[in-house]
Amino acid sequence: MGNKYLQMLRNYVGGQRLTLSGELIICSKQNTQLLQITADESKAVDKIFNGLQQQFPFLKLEKKTNVVEISVKLFAYKKFIADEQFLEHLRGALAAAVQSINESETLMARVTANGLLLNRNLQQNFIFLSKASMVEYKVTDTIPVTGPSEVTIHRLQVYGIAIVFVALIIYNLYVLYAYIPDHNPDRLLTKIVNI
C-alpha cells in the first residue's frame, strides 16, 4: 500500500509529461466471424486489463465489447510520470498482452497507439504498432525544448509548495513549544483577586 502512494507521488513530481491515445483490439482470427469468447478467454482478457491498469495507473483504460471485437482504449492527457524508460516498459507490457491473446486458437490482438512524451530537454512524438505477436514503437519526431519546459516549471511549483508546507509545520511546532507553557494547571490559570 505504501509503495502505491510513493509511486503516485513520484509520478506526480515526475520528470516527463505524457499524452497518449491508443487501443488494444481483440477480435476473432477469422475476420469474417462474429466474436465468440469463452469464459477462460474472457478471464484472460480481464487479467490483461487489470495488469495494464496496475502497471500504468496514470493511464485511463476503458474496455468496450461489441459483437465483432473487444477494444481496450488507452488514454493519458498531460500526465506526469517518473518512469524514464516508459516507452520500453509499455512496449513490453503490450507485447506480452498481444502474445498471450494470439496464443489462443480463436482470438487475435493488435495494438495501435500514438502520443507525445516531453521531458526537460526534448519533446518526442511516438507511435506503437503491432504485427503478429510483435509490438514495436518508433519515435517519429524529436524537437529540442528551448527555455524552461513545462516539466521543469511543474517540478519547481511542486517543490516550492512542499517547502512552504514544511516551513509552516516547523513554525507551528516552534509556536507550540515556545509560547504554550507546560500543562501544569497552576501555570495555565491565572489567579483572580477579589476586591
Side-chain angles (χ1 to χ4, degrees):
M1 191 72 158
N3 281 343
K4 179 182 174 185
Y5 291 115
L6 183 62
Q7 186 61 38
M8 285 173 56
L9 181 63
R10 285 185 65 229
N11 281 332
Y12 184 72
V13 178
Q16 300 185 91
R17 194 192 71 195
L18 172 70
T19 298
L20 172 78
S21 177
E23 67 182 326
L24 168 67
I25 298 171
I26 302 164
C27 60
S28 173
K29 281 196 177 173
Q30 304 297 324
N31 283 336
T32 57
Q33 294 180 349
L34 298 178
L35 181 65
Q36 295 179 357
I37 190 165
T38 65
D40 289 340
E41 291 169 337
S42 180
K43 285 180 185 175
V45 170
D46 288 341
K47 184 178 178 184
I48 289 168
F49 180 81
N50 293 333
L52 286 171
Q53 208 162 31
Q54 220 170 21
Q55 192 172 356
F56 306 105
F58 45 84
L59 289 180
K60 181 179 178 186
L61 299 176
E62 184 179 329
K63 186 173 85 168
K64 289 186 177 179
T65 305
N66 60 37
V67 293
V68 179
E69 64 189 19
I70 297 172
S71 171
V72 177
K73 296 193 183 293
L74 303 104
F75 182 77
Y77 181 70
K78 294 186 176 183
K79 292 287 186 177
F80 288 93
I81 59 172
D83 188 359
E84 295 291 328
Q85 299 295 320
F86 168 74
L87 293 175
E88 185 57 34
H89 291 155
L90 181 62
R91 187 206 64 77
L94 291 174
V98 168
Q99 185 175 6
S100 173
I101 300 279
N102 287 349
E103 286 175 356
S104 166
E105 293 179 7
T106 59
L107 298 177
M108 72 175 205
R110 64 185 185 277
V111 171
T112 58
N114 59 24
L116 181 139
L117 196 60
L118 174 73
N119 62 27
R120 62 181 188 185
N121 301 321
L122 294 173
Q123 174 179 313
Q124 298 176 319
N125 294 323
F126 61 86
I127 187 167
F128 278 84
L129 292 171
S130 67
K131 183 173 183 179
S133 290
M134 291 175 40
V135 176
E136 294 295 330
Y137 71 90
K138 180 179 181 183
V139 175
T140 57
D141 195 17
T142 302
I143 302 169
V145 175
T146 57
S149 72
E150 291 179 42
V151 172
T152 304
I153 293 168
H154 174 75
R155 288 182 116 173
L156 289 174
Q157 287 174 339
V158 169
Y159 291 143
I161 290 170
I163 289 170
V164 167
F165 276 118
V166 168
L168 286 173
I169 290 170
I170 290 172
Y171 175 75
N172 283 325
L173 290 174
Y174 170 74
V175 166
L176 284 172
Y177 178 76
Y179 294 113
I180 295 179
D182 62 2
H183 296 290
N184 184 347
D186 294 335
R187 288 187 167 178
L188 287 174
L189 301 173
T190 58
K191 292 184 180 178
I192 301 174
V193 178
N194 291 333
I195 301 184

